[in-house]
Amino acid sequence: MLDAVRVVGESGWYILGAEVERFEAELARLWGARFAVGVASGLDAIEIALRCCGLKPGDQVLVPPISAFATVMAVIRLGATPVFVDCDRFGLMDLEQAREALAEGGIRCMLPVHLYGHALDLDALGALKAKYEIPIVEDAAQSIGASHHGVACGSVGDCTATSFYPTKNLGALGDGGALLTNSDSHARLARTLRNYGQSSKYVHAHIGYNSRLDELHAAILGRVMLPRLAGWTERRRAIARRYVASIHNPNLEIAGAPAGSESSWHLFPVLAPHGRKSQLLAHLRANGIAAGEHYPLALMDQPAMRGIAHREFRGCSRARDFASREVSLPIHPYLENQEIERVIDVANAWQAAG
Ligand SMILES: Cc1ncc(COP(=O)(O)O)c(C=O)c1O
């Protein structure tokens, strides 16, 4: 780690230099994309990707109801209107409902999220894109390394956005993100937008952003983190397999991953019975298990959404139900075997009361 810091420190070049270029090339290769463009965060990557796809204020964007708030915030920051379709039983965007919404017309762009590290059905996504001829931005902030039937998530969209927030599967020592694309023109525009819309020195063709991935983050990501990613992903998968094989509590439903998805298991969601989530959380935490919630409120129910133009396609009852029951068990590559067994024992010992 300190070697990577030294390389940057001694180079005397801290913004948009050789380390960013090197990391972008490695990331693009890993993802099977022609271009990767490093930016300051996953949120910015989504917003810049949407702009590359020509999104304008007032345009309607199809979004899932369960995700990090950043997903919908990118849409709103552009003045566009989120249209929520419900989630499926895994908490992911229901692609059948997405098809119905697209068939009704009026949708300008689609922003599916490969949530929890699970890849959505890429064949279905590709079919929607071909049939309705709409741009797709894939939010792959949680799913680097995930694939569907052997095809990497991020291979269908016009652009894919990812995040290097420290807790992500590929995490930096601070904020960072990247946009991936096969389009020359999208890559060029993204590079311009991240740097104040500057098209050539001191010429600004667009109102852009200050959204650059720092050399320091790029060096640490490229030299220290990226070479470890495959091993970390394998470890996450082994932990998920162990949980699936060993958690047998009739009160707990393992949310699981859709068939065909080779998940990178960013998170491991389980569902408590209705009205019992806080009891389950209290039980896990009282027994030393760092359980989380992803996410306790569906996006359209966030206080910040009050007064913001948005639409629910057919109501999002499944998402609200999912959000009210979801609890995330610890899953990260540095969990020790005995810690994993402890999680299993504590989960299996829980008896829903009342
Ligand atoms: C699904 C999803 N989308 C977008 C983001 C935003 O990424 P960042 O925190 O790097 O802005 C995150 C992470 O917080 C995320 O989990």
Side-chain angles (χ1 to χ4, degrees):
M1 180 93 69
L2 290 180
D3 286 345
V5 175
R6 193 170 302 114
V7 166
V8 175
E10 289 175 354
S11 77
W13 194 283
Y14 308 133
I15 300 277
L16 295 184
E19 291 302 316
V20 168
E21 269 180 34
R22 179 190 144 128
F23 173 61
E24 286 177 342
E26 283 174 13
L27 190 70
R29 194 173 322 117
L30 175 109
W31 220 302
R34 282 183 65 207
F35 307 102
V37 181
V39 295
S41 68
L43 167 67
D44 285 0
I46 300 170
E47 185 170 337
I48 291 172
L50 290 171
R51 277 186 71 178
C52 288
C53 292
L55 199 76
K56 299 273 184 311
D59 284 346
Q60 296 190 40
V61 184
L62 219 50
V63 290
I66 297 188
S67 185
F69 193 62
T71 304
V72 75
M73 209 171 112
V75 175
I76 290 164
R77 285 209 317 199
L78 287 174
T81 304
V83 177
F84 295 99
V85 292
D86 210 350
C87 69
D88 61 15
R89 68 191 171 90
F90 305 102
L92 308 175
M93 179 186 252
D94 182 335
L95 294 183
E96 177 51 28
Q97 230 188 66
R99 189 192 60 71
E100 290 168 19
L102 290 168
E104 274 192 7
I107 305 292
R108 173 68 181 71
C109 183
M110 192 171 168
L111 178 51
V113 181
H114 301 285
L115 199 67
Y116 304 133
H118 306 337
L120 287 160
D121 182 336
L122 297 182
D123 298 331
L125 260 190
L128 293 179
K129 181 168 170 51
K131 177 152 190 201
Y132 297 102
E133 297 181 343
I134 46 150
I136 294 182
V137 171
E138 294 180 56
D139 179 341
Q142 299 190 358
S143 57
I144 190 166
S147 57
H148 174 259
H149 289 315
V151 178
C153 68
S155 57
V156 170
D158 300 73
C159 293
T160 292
T162 197
S163 163
F164 308 124
Y165 185 80
T167 58
K168 294 292 190 269
N169 288 28
L170 182 66
L173 267 63
D175 277 309
L179 175 155
L180 296 118
T181 183
N182 289 326
S183 155
D184 250 318
S185 58
H186 288 356
R188 216 172 318 115
L189 180 56
R191 289 184 201 289
T192 303
L193 287 174
R194 74 176 169 184
N195 196 23
Y196 313 120
Q198 181 171 263
S199 48
S200 58
K201 199 157 171 116
Y202 300 128
V203 177
H204 297 265
H206 306 275
I207 302 297
Y209 308 85
N210 174 349
S211 184
R212 299 162 304 215
L213 182 66
D214 294 337
E215 282 285 283
L216 209 47
H217 288 315
I220 291 168
L221 282 165
R223 292 171 183 265
V224 183
M225 306 298 189
L226 205 54
R228 293 172 163 81
L229 179 64
W232 287 336
T233 304
E234 214 20 75
R235 178 68 177 155
R236 285 175 183 274
R237 287 180 176 147
I239 296 169
R241 280 195 297 272
R242 182 84 190 118
Y243 282 165
V244 170
S246 310
I247 297 177
H248 297 296
N249 183 335
N251 292 308
L252 272 190
E253 188 184 323
I254 291 179
S261 165
E262 172 126 84
S263 180
S264 58
W265 292 105
H266 176 60
L267 295 164
F268 192 90
V270 296
L271 300 175
H274 291 102
R276 296 285 172 267
K277 170 171 152 158
S278 44
Q279 202 186 91
L280 172 61
L281 273 170
H283 167 81
L284 291 167
R285 288 171 180 165
N287 284 283
I289 309 296
E293 296 175 85
H294 299 87
Y295 294 86
L297 273 184
L299 294 175
M300 58 281 170
D301 295 334
Q302 288 289 350
M305 291 300 292
R306 282 186 214 125
I308 300 281
H310 67 280
R311 182 157 75 82
E312 288 181 37
F313 174 60
R314 293 247 163 96
C316 293
S317 53
R318 198 166 207 167
R320 290 190 172 92
D321 178 73
F322 195 94
S324 73
R325 299 171 59 205
E326 193 278 343
V327 167
S328 305
L329 297 184
I331 187 162
H332 63 80
Y334 290 104
L335 274 183
E336 305 278 351
N337 286 344
Q338 75 212 43
E339 293 173 313
I340 295 164
E341 297 311 312
R342 171 93 183 131
V343 173
I344 292 166
D345 290 346
V346 171
N348 281 336
W350 183 58
Q351 293 177 340

